[in-house]
Amino acid sequence: MRGKVKIILGIETSCDETAAAVVRDKTEVLSNIVASQVKLHAKYGGVVPEIASRRHVEAINPVIKEALEQAGCAYEDIDTVAVTIGPGLVGALLVGLSAARAIALSLDLPLMGVNHIEGHLYANFLENPTLKFPLLGLVVSGGHTSLMIVEDDKKVEYVGWTLDDAAGEVLDKVARYLGLGYPGGPIIDRLSQEGDPQTFAFPRPMMDSGDFNFSFSGLKTALIYKVRDDPNLRKEDKVRDLIASFLKAMVDVLVAKSMAAAQEYGLSRIALAGGVAANSLLRSEMKRATEAQSMTFFCPGLPYCTDNAAMIACRAFDLAEETQEQGQRQRDMSLDVFSTLRIPQKRSR
Ligand code: KG4
Ligand code: ZN
């Protein structure tokens, strides 16, 4: 059997970022290269899967090469190749998997498939190497809104998820509807800081549903109805208050559900992750709520909130350890991608 894994090459192509990173000992990021396709998709107001796949094909080899160069590594220095296998766009994921498989096969290296959502959560370790389990994770991104528990055994168990649109998806759609630009999340973040969140009343969907699931599409519809009834709300002086009130409603639900889940499962650590974790209001409200309950709050630095490959490599260290302990085969060439989250049995309370 191989010795302990020291250096992992991570590859991430689940959506519109082609990314590769080299990580040593789980948290030491030697390089973290992200080639963003945002400009290509901006004119469509959202990610176009076919365009994403084609761009990944063009970018993947240069991005991997740059990650190795910046890390000062040769292929021979790599112990394991880790790649995102889902959830995500199938055509996009396949580009990363094909590249990872080719490298693993040609160099006789182990190949680890990583769940993108778990990768996001693990981004918390990159700047907090001493972060401990058990913890409650909230991953909020363009494709996901998931509450999960990670126990000492490092297994991820889902306790709540979105029943319709993901939080970031709603932010992007609302920004597009209001003609604010793409991607919507960072724009809404900036504009809402100049608005008054008390101006407009918005519902707090599923706040009292008694479970830890989310639903944000009704919140989006509430905003659309308000603007339909009063088109003046699109104007610059009003839109800031509108967006600030809307964002506050979303953040209130995310924070309340996270706090309730932590209490229900007796957890004192909450870790935020995913692209929407970059949101200033969500970060500050989560910090405030956790501090009020003497809980500890973690969130990744901004470059590690949105899609990157360092988080994928980081998660793979724990997976590699687990498979080594169990003596399992480490290079499964039949590894395949998946588009949607296959939620394992929901953890009982
Ligand atoms: O994690 P990510 O890069 O990709 C997915 O896995 O989906 O997340 C992208 C999402 C987009 O919806 C984007 O609008 C949102 O994260 N986002 C933000 C902020 N920065 C990115 N949302 C709110 N505030 C931000 N500052
Ligand atoms: Zn993501």
Side-chain angles (χ1 to χ4, degrees), residues 12 14-15 116 120 141-144 274-275 305-308 311:
E12 154 66 42
S14 67
C15 192
H116 182 76
H120 269 304
S141 69
H144 318 283
C305 285
T306 43
D307 289 349
N308 66 86
M311 67 186 197

Side-chain angles (χ1 to χ4, degrees), residues 117-118 121 135-139 146-150 156-160 267:
I117 301 177
E118 296 174 13
L121 187 60
L135 57 80
L136 181 84
L138 172 65
V139 176
S146 306
L147 266 175
M148 59 201 66
I149 292 174
V150 194
V156 175
E157 293 178 279
Y158 293 82
V159 293
L267 298 162

Side-chain angles (χ1 to χ4, degrees), residues 27-41:
T27 57
E28 193 189 341
V29 180
L30 302 182
S31 65
N32 187 32
I33 308 298
V34 181
S36 175
Q37 304 179 1
V38 154
K39 286 195 183 127
L40 279 181
H41 301 283

Side-chain angles (χ1 to χ4, degrees), residues 304-321:
Y304 294 132
C305 285
T306 43
D307 289 349
N308 66 86
M311 67 186 197
I312 300 303
C314 178
R315 169 62 176 150
F317 274 89
D318 277 358
L319 294 174
E321 200 174 282

